Amino acid sequence: MLTTARAAVLLAAALVLGSAPRASAQDEDVDALRFETDLLSSVYQVFAPFPWTEKPDQASFVYADSKNTIRQYLYDGGRLRETWKSFPLEGAAQAVFAEDLNGDGRPEIITFTTGARIYVWETIKYTLLWESVEENFETISAMAIANVDRDAALELVVCADNLIHYYDGVEFFRDKVGRDFVDPRVILVADVDGDLTDEIITDDGYVLDTNTLSIEYAVEGFGYPMSLFDIDNDGILEVMGEKGGVIQFWDVKDRREIW
């Protein structure tokens, strides 16, 4: 079985060398490879499973290499082969997503870069659907893909120039802009206070209302990396982050650190 450590080494080699590693037939079966890619995507923002293949015995992923390009690879018949590579981007990719923005069953590939650009490709002919050239951002620090307005399409939740912006996932118009200053490396979107409405959680310590984009709760940073986990099994997710090598948990519903 391909261990997480081995998969991390393979990915690191791909990022450094600008090419993907080959996998032999004995390395991995498809189910285990999918499990490993899910684990890797939780650690590396520049790596994402691609949740669509033509055959059930295939697996695919996308990642950002060291040459400012996005690559897609397909695991098929015991080998890993490149199926697509983007043009050189304006800056290095900071995160990669493979999400079905418009609900047609086929994921789009989304990324943002150190050059303050957002790119979105469809994945039939790999046409570029949108590049944020007219937004004129100075910086983009974080992004999440989520349904924050309850319509059928997903939205791009972007922290650009230290404000949260919503972009429609079909037409890519800017739908909403917040007023509160934030400076995250990671954005998560989930219901963390049990009110049946999602919140935006930033690793620099803010929980924002998805409707108003105003701050509901703030601490001196949740830490990095940051994730969500129901540690007390009450059905409500807690915020988990690492600060100074220590894992900490926050209960947003009760407004307190619990561990």
Side-chain angles (χ1 to χ4, degrees), residues 18-141:
S19 60
R22 292 185 178 275
S24 65
Q26 63 267 27
D27 271 339
E28 188 53 81
D29 61 32
V30 171
D31 288 340
L33 180 60
R34 288 173 180 158
F35 176 75
E36 297 292 348
T37 55
D38 285 342
L39 288 178
L40 284 170
S41 67
S42 68
V43 177
Y44 301 101
Q45 292 192 70
V46 292
F47 181 86
F50 187 80
W52 186 92
T53 56
E54 292 183 353
K55 302 176 182 177
D57 58 350
Q58 296 173 329
S60 182
F61 64 87
V62 292
Y63 77 95
D65 68 16
S66 60
K67 298 180 180 179
N68 295 4
T69 59
I70 307 300
R71 295 171 181 260
Q72 182 178 15
Y73 275 77
L74 178 70
Y75 182 82
D76 183 24
R79 297 190 67 80
L80 202 60
R81 60 183 175 88
E82 183 177 278
T83 53
W84 173 75
K85 183 176 74 172
S86 75
F87 52 80
L89 307 179
E90 182 71 27
Q94 299 298 285
V96 179
F97 306 88
E99 298 282 352
D100 184 2
L101 296 176
N102 57 14
D104 68 353
R106 183 111 180 195
E108 282 71 45
I109 296 173
I110 310 105
T111 190
F112 71 93
T113 73
T114 55
R117 292 284 181 86
I118 303 169
Y119 300 85
V120 182
W121 293 269
E122 58 85 22
T123 57
I124 297 176
K125 296 183 178 180
Y126 291 87
T127 301
L128 182 68
L129 296 177
W130 184 53
E131 179 182 354
S132 61
V133 292
E134 297 181 358
E135 298 304 304
N136 296 317
F137 292 131
E138 293 292 326
T139 62
I140 300 175
S141 62

Side-chain angles (χ1 to χ4, degrees), residues 235-248:
I236 302 173
L237 295 167
E238 281 73 46
V239 181
M240 179 178 68
E242 180 180 338
K243 297 178 70 176
V246 177
I247 301 296
Q248 297 173 298

Side-chain angles (χ1 to χ4, degrees), residues 88-219:
L89 307 179
E90 182 71 27
Q94 299 298 285
V96 179
F97 306 88
E99 298 282 352
D100 184 2
L101 296 176
N102 57 14
D104 68 353
R106 183 111 180 195
E108 282 71 45
I109 296 173
I110 310 105
T111 190
F112 71 93
T113 73
T114 55
R117 292 284 181 86
I118 303 169
Y119 300 85
V120 182
W121 293 269
E122 58 85 22
T123 57
I124 297 176
K125 296 183 178 180
Y126 291 87
T127 301
L128 182 68
L129 296 177
W130 184 53
E131 179 182 354
S132 61
V133 292
E134 297 181 358
E135 298 304 304
N136 296 317
F137 292 131
E138 293 292 326
T139 62
I140 300 175
S141 62
M143 181 190 292
I145 311 297
N147 190 340
V148 289
D149 62 4
R150 300 180 184 275
D151 65 5
L154 297 176
E155 284 73 46
L156 280 60
V157 181
V158 181
C159 182
D161 295 341
N162 301 109
L163 298 175
I164 298 295
H165 304 249
Y166 288 168
Y167 285 89
D168 180 81
V170 176
E171 300 295 333
F172 305 107
F173 58 85
R174 184 162 29 175
D175 189 40
K176 187 177 292 188
V177 182
R179 296 183 178 181
D180 291 319
F181 181 96
V182 292
D183 188 21
R185 287 179 288 177
V186 177
I187 292 172
L188 302 176
V189 180
D191 179 9
V192 291
D193 61 8
D195 66 354
L196 304 181
T197 300
D198 286 345
E199 286 76 41
I200 298 169
I201 307 98
T202 69
D203 68 296
D204 58 331
Y206 296 103
V207 178
L208 295 91
D209 183 281
T210 50
N211 293 317
T212 65
L213 293 182
S214 60
I215 294 173
E216 293 184 351
Y217 176 59
V219 300

